[in-house]
Amino acid sequence: MYSLESLKIDLASLKEGDTTFSYDLGDDYFEAVGGREVGRGTVHADITVARSGGVYRLGFHTEGVVIVPCDRCLDDMEQEVSADNTLTARIGEEFSEDDDLVTVGKDNPLLDVSWYIYEFIALSIPIKHVHAPGKCNPAMIKALEEHSAARSSDGDSEGHVDSRWSELEKLKTIIKD
């Protein structure tokens, strides 16, 4: 089991200037985080924390491959991900999140970046993800084609037309004339 403790950054212990953290995240990380979009993968994350007074600017760079279901055949597929994101943090009275500003409590100045990394990875996945042509599960593609053909043939049949549509068709001819 992956311990998310290593993904907690003690902001109070950071010196002025830049500090870099690197993480290699695998299946155990995705399982520990428990997100719904991604359950497996191999991603490298670099976090650069630039401290300037009481403000911490975090730059996240994530790059790797995650396993997601294909939208067409539902088999697992590899999806490359790469993202650059930023976050601003400070130490305050108690924890709060407002847009891109995170405040961690001064009693416990640890910033847990595990979920932020996961969100940045999930947001970098394209909306549509399908296998390359010819790589989808052939049995599923065949079933999809059969259902698609059956649906389109149902629409071609000349059945009873609702009388309201007939009246609308008459209006179209009147307007054209």
Side-chain angles (χ1 to χ4, degrees):
M1 184 72 180
Y2 188 82
S3 173
L4 297 176
E5 289 298 314
S6 64
L7 294 167
K8 292 182 180 178
I9 298 174
D10 185 359
L11 297 179
S13 70
L14 298 178
K15 297 178 181 166
E16 288 285 325
D18 292 355
T19 306
T20 302
F21 300 90
S22 291
Y23 303 99
D24 287 314
L25 309 170
D27 294 346
D28 48 351
Y29 160 77
F30 289 105
E31 184 179 324
V33 170
R36 293 177 36 193
E37 289 85 13
V38 180
R40 298 182 331 199
T42 305
V43 176
H44 179 78
D46 287 318
I47 303 172
T48 302
V49 183
R51 179 179 179 180
S52 177
V55 177
Y56 303 84
R57 300 214 186 275
L58 290 85
F60 293 80
H61 175 74
T62 52
E63 194 165 336
V65 176
V66 295
I67 308 300
V68 293
C70 173
D71 289 339
R72 188 174 297 134
C73 71
L74 301 178
D75 279 0
D76 285 344
M77 64 172 278
E78 291 184 350
Q79 178 68 55
E80 290 186 19
V81 291
S82 179
D84 291 302
N85 303 89
T86 59
L87 184 71
T88 303
R90 67 183 177 112
I91 298 174
E93 290 300 316
E94 59 184 41
F95 180 84
S96 70
E97 286 181 300
D98 299 317
D99 295 327
D100 288 338
L101 177 65
V102 177
T103 303
V104 295
K106 62 182 177 185
D107 296 335
N108 186 17
L110 297 177
L111 178 62
D112 186 353
V113 295
S114 61
W115 187 251
Y116 295 111
I117 293 171
Y118 179 82
E119 283 184 337
F120 295 147
I121 292 168
L123 289 172
S124 70
I125 297 172
I127 292 173
K128 183 177 180 180
H129 32 86
V130 295
H131 284 108
K135 299 289 184 184
C136 279
N137 179 335
M140 181 62 88
I141 296 302
K142 182 179 178 191
L144 285 171
E145 288 171 353
E146 288 172 0
H147 287 290
S148 177
R151 264 198 349 202
S152 63
S153 67
D154 289 344
D156 293 340
S157 63
E158 291 294 325
H160 174 71
V161 176
D162 188 340
S163 62
R164 293 174 289 185
W165 292 114
S166 300
E167 294 300 316
L168 287 173
E169 286 295 327
K170 290 178 189 175
L171 283 176
K172 284 171 62 178
T173 57
I174 293 172
I175 293 173
K176 285 183 184 177
D177 294 335

